[in-house]
Amino acid sequence: MIEKGLLIVLSGPSGVGKGTVRKEIFSQPDTAFEYSISMTTRLPRDGEVDGVDYFFKSREEFETLIEQGKLLEYAEFVGNYYGTPVDYVRETLDAGKDVFLEIEVQGAQQVREKFPEGLLIFLAPPSLSELESRITNRGTESSELIRRRMQAAKEEIELMDLYDYVVENDHVTAATSRINAIVIAEHCRRERVSVRYKKMLEAE
Amino acid sequence: MIEKGLLIVLSGPSGVGKGTVRKEIFSQPDTAFEYSISMTTRLPRDGEVDGVDYFFKSREEFETLIEQGKLLEYAEFVGNYYGTPVDYVRETLDAGKDVFLEIEVQGAQQVREKFPEGLLIFLAPPSLSELESRITNRGTESSELIRRRMQAAKEEIELMDLYDYVVENDHVTAATSRINAIVIAEHCRRERVSVRYKKMLEAE
């Protein structure tokens, strides 16, 4: 009786530092996550290995997989497709391993629709809480600057509404340890644990 | 603008080690929790200080507080009342501090009714997962012993249903770090964080 893994999706506004946090998480020697390998139509760069860095596919193959619903999420950037193969994710979760995805906000929206039980974590820029403390402490900035920043903050906060958790990226190690805490906590959720125990009793 | 603290309630079957885990949590030099001081009608023991170890009250005072709804939860043990004064809890939460309560399962039920936003953590005996692995691995124990253990396990699992999280007390430091992770994660919940940011924008 294997307990299914969690799908952990890290996303957030571009430039917030998702890639840096993801690298930090996978540099931990005791990381318990499986990294989901993306699929792409761009050509391999020197040293990149198919099935390790990416699954490399032709445009035709990729579009066939889209039609067959074989991508958990995908997007097109500068003429190339990038996406997450759903079979790999499902197989890894079924094997009881947590899968970690780092994707753009549009992708996170697709995951929410196709895989509602996914754990969506929004990586928030520290500028938000900086703005908060500046407003609270009445700084000396020009009102035009504050106004522009507030507009940007509003857009970021609206993006959050889709997510389960918000982690501020004030520092990469702090953000990483919050993400680890979230995953530990999710494994302790009563619905998860009691279902496991109840199955054990039924199995007898 | 102060963010309200969390009410963290640790409970579980008697004998599971709630007190030991609570002591471990409060022995951490960087613990961020306020311990909720209980109220009791029993007499102070040598060295116990009113307002530090307990709030000591007469039976009459205690019963008046019950009638006035001033107790978040209470119970009677061997002729004495023990309870949690609700005003102290609310004031501490309003000051933005997390309050930690360690109580019996009947008390946890009262907290769920009176304070639904409380975070209820069930401390589970390791015997449950031991039982699970024994059943799974088909041990050599007598079926009568397994049957009795399964009956006890059923009762414990039914108690869980009230709780938000289940933490196995396999080892006191492991249980403590899971509880700390749960509290960190709860502070990152999107509802909490985005409400804070939205209030900041509205306040402008």
Side-chain angles (χ1 to χ4, degrees), chain A residues 138 163 166 188 190 204, chain B residues 138 163-164 166 188 190 204:
Chain A
R138 294 282 142 197
Y163 292 75
V166 176
C188 293
R190 187 254 309 155
E204 247 306 287
Chain B
R138 294 281 143 197
Y163 293 75
D164 301 300
V166 176
C188 294
R190 188 255 308 157
E204 248 305 288

Side-chain angles (χ1 to χ4, degrees), chain A residues 198 200-201, chain B residues 12-13 105 122 125 128 131 147-161 163:
Chain A
K198 281 173 187 168
M200 145 186 98
L201 294 181
Chain B
V105 287
F122 186 89
L128 261 183
L131 182 62
R147 201 197 56 75
R148 279 214 313 272
R149 283 201 188 143
M150 286 197 37
Q151 187 51 43
K154 257 180 208 162
E155 285 161 19
E156 278 156 3
I157 293 163
E158 273 162 27
L159 280 179
M160 278 181 200
D161 282 344
Y163 293 75

Side-chain angles (χ1 to χ4, degrees), chain A residues 17-66:
Chain A
K18 298 186 287 291
T20 313
V21 170
R22 187 248 304 156
K23 275 178 204 141
E24 174 72 15
I25 284 174
F26 284 94
S27 77
Q28 296 165 346
D30 57 346
T31 186
F33 308 141
E34 295 291 313
Y35 181 57
S36 162
I37 302 163
S38 293
M39 195 172 275
T40 185
T41 57
R42 84 153 164 74
L43 295 173
R45 291 181 192 140
D46 264 1
E48 282 184 344
V49 178
D50 186 40
V52 175
D53 299 289
Y54 283 97
F55 296 112
F56 294 101
K57 298 283 171 191
S58 72
R59 215 176 157 80
E60 207 174 11
E61 287 172 314
F62 202 105
E63 283 172 350
T64 307
L65 291 168
I66 294 174

Side-chain angles (χ1 to χ4, degrees), chain A residues 2 30 39 112 115 118-119 133 137 150 164 171 182 196 203:
Chain A
I2 293 170
D30 57 346
M39 195 172 275
R112 179 53 91 218
F115 207 93
L119 204 66
S133 69
N137 301 319
M150 286 196 38
D164 301 300
H171 194 283
I182 288 167
R196 200 182 79 213

Side-chain angles (χ1 to χ4, degrees), chain B residues 1-189:
Chain B
M1 185 169 46
I2 295 170
E3 192 178 338
K4 264 186 83 170
L6 295 167
L7 177 63
I8 302 141
V9 179
L10 183 70
S11 192
S14 73
V16 75
K18 298 186 285 292
T20 312
V21 170
R22 188 248 303 157
K23 275 179 203 137
E24 175 72 14
I25 284 174
F26 283 94
S27 75
Q28 295 165 345
D30 57 346
T31 185
F33 309 142
E34 296 290 312
Y35 181 58
S36 162
I37 303 162
S38 292
M39 196 173 273
T40 185
T41 57
R42 83 152 163 74
L43 294 173
R45 291 178 192 144
D46 266 0
E48 283 185 342
V49 178
D50 186 41
V52 175
D53 299 289
Y54 283 98
F55 296 111
F56 294 102
K57 299 284 171 188
S58 72
R59 215 175 158 79
E60 208 175 14
E61 288 171 313
F62 202 105
E63 285 172 348
T64 307
L65 291 168
I66 295 174
E67 281 163 31
Q68 293 173 340
K70 293 285 192 190
L71 291 158
L72 184 54
E73 57 84 32
Y74 71 95
E76 201 170 356
F77 293 109
V78 285
N80 287 307
Y81 283 121
Y82 293 82
T84 303
V86 73
D87 289 348
Y88 174 83
V89 170
R90 290 204 189 274
E91 284 158 21
T92 314
L93 295 176
D94 287 345
K97 291 175 193 156
D98 295 338
V99 175
F100 188 94
L101 270 186
E102 177 234 318
I103 53 178
E104 301 300 320
V105 287
Q106 306 90 319
Q109 196 143 5
Q110 297 175 48
V111 174
R112 180 52 91 216
E113 285 158 17
K114 287 203 187 166
F115 207 93
E117 66 270 42
L119 203 67
L120 267 59
I121 302 176
F122 186 89
L123 196 66
S127 57
L128 261 183
S129 62
E130 256 171 54
L131 182 62
E132 189 182 15
S133 69
R134 279 173 200 198
I135 290 176
T136 311
N137 301 320
R138 294 281 143 197
T140 52
E141 271 136 43
S142 77
S143 59
E144 171 57 18
L145 187 64
I146 287 274
R147 201 197 56 75
R148 279 214 313 272
R149 283 201 188 143
M150 286 197 37
Q151 187 51 43
K154 257 180 208 162
E155 285 161 19
E156 278 156 3
I157 293 163
E158 273 162 27
L159 280 179
M160 278 181 200
D161 282 344
L162 183 73
Y163 293 75
D164 301 300
Y165 293 95
V166 176
V167 165
E168 190 184 325
N169 191 17
D170 48 351
H171 194 283
V172 63
T173 53
T176 302
S177 71
R178 284 181 207 123
I179 292 168
N180 285 329
I182 289 168
V183 176
I184 292 170
E186 284 287 327
H187 277 286
C188 294
R189 287 187 80 87

Side-chain angles (χ1 to χ4, degrees), chain A residues 2-8 32-34 88-100 187 192:
Chain A
I2 293 170
E3 191 179 339
K4 263 186 83 169
L6 294 167
L7 176 64
I8 302 142
F33 308 141
E34 295 291 313
Y88 175 84
V89 170
R90 290 204 189 275
E91 284 159 19
T92 315
L93 295 175
D94 287 346
K97 291 175 193 155
D98 296 338
V99 176
F100 188 94
H187 277 286
R192 245 181 116 75

Side-chain angles (χ1 to χ4, degrees), chain A residues 131 134 141-151:
Chain A
L131 181 64
R134 278 172 202 197
E141 272 137 41
S142 76
S143 58
E144 171 55 21
L145 188 64
I146 287 274
R147 200 197 56 74
R148 279 213 313 272
R149 285 204 187 140
M150 286 196 38
Q151 189 49 43

